[in-house]
Structures are given as structure tokens and as C-alpha cells.
Amino acid sequence: MENSKYEKISNIIDKRNKNRVIIESIQEIRYNSKSKIQYMLSIGLGIILGFAMAYTKDTVELIININEKSLNIALAFIGIILGSYSLFQALLNKDIVLLLIEANDNLLKDSNKTFMNLAVLYISGILFDFILGTVLNMIPSYFLILDNLVLSNILAGIGISFYLWFHIMLFLENINFVLNLYRMFGVYNTLKALEALDDKDKEI
């Protein structure tokens, strides 16, 4: 029993190297039965909006605007993620840490891993948006991928759809992070409530 507790404590330490962290971060948004609705929604919206943008007159300008908005949203989200997780870490004490470790599937370990993976995904997204934005600002508004307008629109639609899919998936992935954070706050509130009841009983 004691060895099991030490093993759970040891599991909190993230021993993955940088390459492994990046690979597992990408796997965070892989398709599975739990993410089916998330995938259907992001792919559907990505295709509809992507091809709608590809068949407008000002496609390049629209992509630039979407790129800027996506970058701003990603920067805002990563700030919220870092801030909220830092706040929770500041609230942790030894009793709460033990409860989280002993919870099913080691809630603290899973939450730490989800936080890291999501942060890496957002950093990757921000870097990609920065590079894409730089390239787009060098492209003239009348730019065509191919001489054939129809094929150019199709390729542009596919590219924009994939770009939108990634960002919508990333935004929706915040639900899992918020859910894990909510569960940990639930443990924190439960412990504080028990402490308050214990103090009240002692007063009586």
C-alpha cells in the first residue's frame, strides 16, 4: 500500500523529453470515441467556412484577418490557461495534493499532463500563426495558387479548411482542460468544507 502511494507521487514527475512532449501534445487532439462530436463540429465548420472564404473576391485579405484574430485568441487563451493553473497551484496544500494523487487515475498527474500538452499546442499554434501571417502579408490580394481559377479556389478551400479545423479543435480542447480544473477545484472545495465542519464540531 505504501509503495503504491510512493509510486503515485513518483508518477507526478514528468520524465518525458521535449520530443516526447511534442508528440503526445499532438496526440491530445487525435480522433477517438470521446472526441467524435468535437471532430465532427470542427471539420464541418472548417469546411463550410473554408470554402466560403475561398470563393470570395478578397480571399487573401479574409485569411489575413482570420489569422490575426486566431493569433489574438490563442494568445488570450494561453494567458488564461497559465493564469488559472498558476492560481490553482497556489491554492494547493499537502492535504489537497494527497487527495488528488489518491483519486481515480491520479487526477493531479492527468491534469498536469493535459495542461502541458495544451500549452505546447497553443505555443505551436501561435508560432504557426506568426509565420503564416508574415507570409500572407507578402502576398498580393490578387494572388492565385494556380493559373486555373477553379483549381486555385479548391486548393485554397482545402488549405483554409484545415487551418480552421486546427484552431476550432484547439479552442474546443479547452473544454477538457476546464473540466479537469473543475474537478480539482471540486476536491479543493470538498476538503475545505470538511475542515470547516471539523472546526465547527470542535467549537461545539
Side-chain angles (χ1 to χ4, degrees):
M1 183 69 177
E2 200 67 28
N3 290 334
S4 177
K5 287 185 178 181
Y6 282 116
E7 186 178 345
K8 287 183 177 181
I9 293 171
S10 177
N11 285 338
I12 296 174
I13 302 171
D14 198 335
K15 301 172 185 177
R16 300 174 296 169
N17 57 38
K18 183 174 65 176
N19 293 334
R20 188 64 190 169
V21 169
I22 294 172
I23 291 170
E24 292 190 11
S25 296
I26 295 170
Q27 291 176 348
E28 194 77 27
I29 55 173
R30 70 185 183 278
Y31 178 82
N32 54 50
S33 57
K34 294 181 180 179
S35 64
K36 185 177 180 180
I37 296 175
Q38 187 176 341
Y39 257 81
M40 289 174 63
L41 182 61
S42 58
I43 290 173
L45 287 173
I47 291 173
I48 293 169
L49 295 174
F51 277 90
M53 289 173 61
Y55 280 89
T56 59
K57 292 180 179 179
D58 304 316
T59 302
V60 175
E61 291 180 12
L62 275 173
I63 299 172
I64 291 173
N65 289 332
I66 292 295
N67 173 257
E68 290 176 353
K69 289 177 181 178
S70 296
L71 180 58
N72 290 333
I73 293 171
L75 287 169
F77 266 126
I78 197 169
I80 292 169
I81 290 167
L82 292 172
S84 58
Y85 208 75
S86 297
L87 174 63
F88 180 78
Q89 290 291 334
L91 293 174
L92 291 177
N93 58 39
K94 62 181 182 180
D95 295 324
I96 297 171
V97 170
L98 285 174
L99 276 175
L100 290 172
I101 290 171
E102 292 174 359
N104 292 335
D105 300 324
N106 198 333
L107 186 56
L108 186 58
K109 175 192 171 184
D110 287 346
S111 297
N112 285 340
K113 192 174 179 181
T114 301
F115 161 73
M116 173 60 76
N117 291 343
L118 192 58
V120 170
L121 283 173
Y122 267 107
I123 291 170
S124 301
I126 289 167
L127 178 61
F128 178 73
D129 280 341
F130 173 75
I131 295 171
L132 180 62
T134 303
V135 172
L136 287 172
N137 280 291
M138 294 188 291
I139 296 175
S141 58
Y142 54 84
F143 175 78
L144 288 175
I145 301 172
L146 300 171
D147 292 333
N148 188 303
L149 181 60
V150 175
L151 288 176
S152 291
N153 287 337
I154 292 172
L155 289 175
I158 293 171
I160 299 168
S161 297
F162 182 80
Y163 175 79
L164 293 173
W165 164 80
F166 173 75
H167 277 285
I168 295 170
M169 278 290 295
L170 201 55
F171 298 155
L172 292 176
E173 193 61 32
N174 285 289
I175 296 172
N176 294 329
F177 173 76
V178 171
L179 182 59
N180 283 335
L181 201 61
Y182 170 75
R183 286 171 177 167
M184 291 197 294
F185 271 113
V187 174
Y188 174 81
N189 292 333
T190 300
L191 183 62
K192 287 298 178 182
L194 290 172
E195 288 178 353
L197 288 173
D198 188 50
D199 292 339
K200 189 175 181 179
D201 290 339
K202 287 180 181 178
E203 290 177 2
I204 296 174

